[in-house]
Amino acid sequence: MNPTLTLFKRELSSYFATPVAYVFIVIFLLLSGSFTFYLGGFYERGQADLEPFFQYHPWLYLFLVPAVAMRLWADERKSGTIELLLTLPVTMWQTVVAKFLAAWSFVGLALLLTFPIWITVNYLGEPDNGVILTGYLGSLLMAGGFLAIGACLSATTRSQVIAFILSVVVCFLFLLAGFPLVLDVFRAVAPQSLVDAIAGLSFLSHFNAISQGVVDLRDLLYFLLVIGFWLYANAVVIDLKKAD
Amino acid sequence: MIETSALTKHYGRFTAVDNISFRVEPGEVLGFLGPNGAGKSTTMKMIAGFLAPSSGSVKVCGFDVESRPIEAKRALGYLPEGAPAYGEMTPRAFLGFVADVRGLSGEERTRRLDDVIGRLHLEGVLEQPIETLSKGFKRRVGLAQAILHDPPVLILDEPTDGLDPNQKHEVRTLINAMAKDKVIVISTHILEEVNAVCNRAIIIAGGKLLADAAPAELEARSRYHMAVSLTTTETEKAKEALGAIPDIESVEIDPLDERITAFPRKGKQILAAVSDALKAQGVAIRELQLETGRLDEVFRSITQPHTQEARA
Ligand SMILES: Nc1ncnc2c1ncn2[C@@H]1O[C@H](COP(=O)(O)OP(=O)(O)OP(=O)(O)O)[C@@H](O)[C@H]1O
Ligand SMILES: [Mg+2]
């Protein structure tokens, strides 16, 4: 068997070895449901789409994804298994990617389990399922971006709590960069090109574009680049900080 | 084969391993000895490819650990200090995972797994999460993981720490059985282990290599080497009799158990003379023994100056 696949399987099954995985999935489903129905006014809007559902995903992920990512490396460090892992005949990249993909699949699974809401909206009306599909795609990509940040920061410490807090802060900055309020502040003091650059870095603007059904290659590329960058940083951090 | 040349590791400004070079050939079981903080584990981590050396290099089976890491790691079985393992996994799942990563498959996989499970007596705990195992069983799982792919090179950091006397014996037997065609490096604080399994010992303190010799050679450096010790009820009389032998340099009496030790002058054999003299004086001897040398005493005399220097 391909070693990356073996590492991936071990990592993914370790999520389900404790109740944490189930707790996470339940919380995710409950929160995404209640945001959609109460905050998003799913029924009141009278529109057959999932915009109120996807609209809150960035904020949901802000806290939930760092919780999934925090143990990825911090735990290996703390228990000393990192020494075992990195002396197996696999490359650093295989390990980093396998761990990331396992966490991503886990979040993807949680996302998949929101399918009842898709059934509901199809039952109630005639939504554009293409837009819903791109919504899911955008949401998954954004979760990947958050996860890559979380994985990298998890490698900087042996404490899962610190990893969690660091990731929330950095993820928040990446979200904030696209927030109209923040952009307005910048607009007052900075040239438009800089404002655009900051907005261009934000998860929010790219996610909104994709989830509204506009699949621009640049938005997809953005998330893939973000993931690639943070995973690269992840490998570098491990190499530098292996000793302590 | 392992070859280290001028291996050095700095942690910040602190030098944990200082310019260590040695070479280990198949068939050798090398014991790493040294006080706490000597740099044994750090050296092993560099050989295993976990830590990159600050300078110097390591070759495992001809592969440089830094430039050909995958080949080097394939040839290597490594038990890290403290035998870490994924606590939520069962030994069966954990060993299966290691077997898969190491590319074992089909019948060979089953055969190797059965072999290590049998050798380390893990049958009874196979389905129990590793985090709930006792310390000794955890260590055995770690050992099983290290020898699973039957590697030509084994690096074991304190393999018998936490094992009961029976298991210690079994693990030593296991190491001896594997020793023929493998390179084995173990670190230990148990000096009797060195005599039991190693045919070569390296003493490290303060990151420096201080001695590299066969255990018997090290023992020969002891001042107890070729000394004669005895116990008797007539301590005073025996002391007098020994004092008359010209080849004896000095006589010491252990204040605790009154054991008398006679140290020979350089290069002299005194056993026959001692036994004759005591017989002539009619001293009743309970027990008489020719000392081969005490490893703990050699260890202390070699490492102590360096540990003090490090503290100062
Ligand atoms: N990550 C680290 N950062 C700073 N210093 C370290 C680090 N790891 C080890 N050291 C120091 O390096 C020295 C050598 O440590 P090492 O673990 O190699 O000792 P050892 O010989 O294995 O000791 P022991 O017998 O206690 O296991 C120690 O002084 C230790 O404090
Ligand atoms: Mg050690």
Side-chain angles (χ1 to χ4, degrees):
Chain A
M1 207 186 325
N2 181 320
T4 314
L5 191 63
T6 310
L7 293 171
F8 168 84
K9 273 174 43 187
R10 197 212 69 76
E11 193 67 40
L12 187 59
S13 62
S14 78
Y15 277 104
F16 294 96
T18 60
V20 175
Y22 304 99
V23 171
F24 173 86
I25 289 178
V26 168
I27 291 181
F28 178 76
L29 295 179
L30 282 179
L31 282 182
S32 65
S34 51
F35 280 1
T36 310
F37 290 104
Y38 296 109
L39 295 178
F42 180 70
Y43 289 120
E44 292 78 358
R45 291 170 74 242
Q47 282 182 28
D49 65 18
L50 283 186
E51 205 196 313
F53 170 66
F54 289 118
Q55 181 186 345
Y56 291 101
H57 278 195
W59 309 103
L60 209 54
Y61 287 158
L62 178 58
F63 292 97
L64 289 181
V65 169
V68 173
M70 65 184 184
R71 50 173 286 289
L72 278 179
W73 291 98
D75 201 34
E76 298 264 0
R77 248 177 211 298
K78 178 146 201 199
S79 65
T81 44
I82 190 169
E83 208 168 325
L84 202 79
L85 186 64
L86 297 183
T87 51
L88 289 171
V90 290
T91 63
M92 175 73 81
W93 264 113
Q94 288 174 318
T95 321
V96 167
V97 169
K99 271 180 172 286
F100 169 76
L101 288 181
W104 205 11
S105 310
F106 177 69
V107 176
L109 177 70
L111 193 59
L112 207 62
L113 289 176
T114 60
F115 69 90
I117 203 156
W118 172 72
I119 294 178
T120 310
V121 76
N122 269 281
Y123 174 77
L124 292 174
E126 282 178 7
D128 182 342
N129 279 320
V131 174
I132 292 180
L133 194 67
T134 62
Y136 272 108
L137 177 68
S139 180
L140 189 63
L141 282 172
M142 183 174 56
F146 279 137
L147 262 180
I149 294 175
C152 174
L153 295 174
S154 159
T156 61
T157 169
R158 22 174 88 221
S159 154
Q160 296 194 31
V161 177
I162 295 178
F164 175 78
I165 295 172
L166 279 178
S167 311
V168 171
V169 169
V170 174
C171 290
F172 189 54
L173 291 179
F174 266 81
L175 273 186
L176 218 56
F179 217 50
L181 258 177
V182 178
L183 289 179
D184 284 344
V185 172
F186 277 108
R187 208 162 272 137
V189 295
Q192 185 62 31
S193 55
L194 185 65
V195 176
D196 288 345
I198 292 170
L201 268 183
S202 165
F203 280 20
L204 222 45
S205 37
H206 294 280
F207 170 67
N208 285 339
I210 301 177
S211 66
Q212 273 149 20
V214 193
V215 183
D216 187 331
L217 198 63
R218 276 171 301 180
D219 293 320
L220 300 184
L221 212 58
Y222 165 78
F223 280 114
L224 295 179
L225 281 178
V226 166
I227 291 172
F229 169 81
W230 283 98
L231 290 187
Y232 178 74
N234 186 347
V236 171
V237 166
I238 293 164
D239 240 354
L240 290 179
K241 296 202 45 151
K242 257 190 308 206
D244 29 77
Chain B
M1 203 239 344
I2 299 176
E3 192 174 0
T4 75
S5 46
L7 199 57
T8 302
K9 180 74 191 176
H10 305 289
Y11 290 119
R13 296 181 55 200
F14 176 75
T15 306
V17 173
D18 194 357
N19 205 6
I20 286 187
S21 307
F22 59 84
R23 195 188 155 94
V24 200
E25 300 288 344
E28 282 189 299
V29 180
L30 172 65
F32 255 34
L33 308 178
N36 291 127
K40 304 181 292 294
S41 298
T42 307
T43 307
M44 290 179 140
K45 284 174 199 193
M46 287 191 283
I47 299 175
F50 176 63
L51 290 183
S54 305
S55 65
S57 67
V58 184
K59 276 188 182 167
V60 173
C61 290
F63 299 111
D64 187 278
V65 170
E66 280 190 284
S67 58
R68 306 286 297 276
I70 300 294
E71 289 91 343
K73 285 169 184 177
R74 263 197 205 116
L76 208 113
Y78 176 44
L79 172 70
E81 188 168 33
Y86 294 106
E88 78 279 357
M89 297 178 100
T90 63
R92 188 192 294 285
F94 177 63
L95 293 175
F97 160 70
V98 175
D100 289 340
V101 177
R102 295 225 175 248
L104 297 174
S105 63
E107 207 174 300
E108 195 197 4
R109 182 179 185 274
T110 321
R111 193 170 50 76
R112 289 301 309 157
L113 282 171
D114 288 346
D115 181 58
V116 296
I117 288 167
R119 278 178 189 240
L120 289 145
H121 304 287
L122 296 173
E123 299 88 351
V125 299
L126 278 178
E127 309 300 343
Q128 196 181 329
I130 294 174
E131 60 199 354
T132 68
L133 295 180
S134 70
K135 185 175 167 191
F137 270 106
K138 275 185 196 149
R139 180 89 21 165
R140 278 144 74 174
V141 171
L143 271 167
Q145 162 276 127
I147 63 172
L148 185 59
H149 54 301
D150 197 17
V153 176
L154 269 176
I155 310 285
L156 309 174
D157 202 346
E158 301 192 19
T160 59
D161 182 41
L163 298 186
D164 67 48
N166 297 339
Q167 276 306 317
K168 272 198 182 105
H169 178 76
E170 293 233 5
V171 167
R172 287 172 194 166
T173 316
L174 178 73
I175 293 175
N176 282 330
M178 293 186 303
K180 260 198 319 298
D181 45 357
K182 284 192 203 308
V183 174
I184 304 181
V185 179
I186 68 167
S187 77
T188 181
H189 289 296
I190 309 166
L191 294 175
E192 73 200 44
E193 198 151 285
V194 178
N195 279 321
V197 296
C198 302
N199 46 33
R200 181 173 161 196
I202 279 184
I203 298 183
I204 304 178
K208 292 191 175 64
L209 196 155
L210 300 179
D212 180 352
E217 279 172 58
L218 285 178
E219 280 182 341
R221 294 190 197 176
S222 163
R223 65 189 192 100
Y224 284 92
H225 182 59
M226 300 309 271
V228 172
S229 70
L230 59 114
T231 52
T232 171
T233 43
E234 303 160 286
T235 310
E236 276 311 310
K237 209 164 147 196
K239 198 180 164 192
E240 231 165 78
L242 293 176
I245 301 172
D247 281 349
I248 289 183
E249 167 96 45
S250 64
V251 176
E252 280 176 22
I253 302 175
D254 190 315
L256 286 179
D257 58 1
E258 300 227 308
R259 187 177 191 92
I260 303 172
T261 309
F263 296 95
R265 289 188 199 284
K266 213 170 166 49
K268 301 288 185 193
Q269 303 277 348
I270 54 168
L271 181 62
V274 167
S275 122
D276 289 347
L278 292 173
K279 215 174 281 166
Q281 294 294 318
V283 180
I285 310 165
R286 245 184 281 155
E287 178 230 350
L288 179 79
Q289 151 184 4
L290 180 67
E291 300 265 349
T292 55
R294 297 187 187 170
L295 217 44
D296 61 339
E297 191 238 7
V298 177
F299 179 83
R300 227 175 300 128
S301 65
I302 291 180
T303 61
Q304 222 153 29
H306 287 265
T307 10
Q308 262 147 16
E309 181 184 300
R311 256 187 245 122

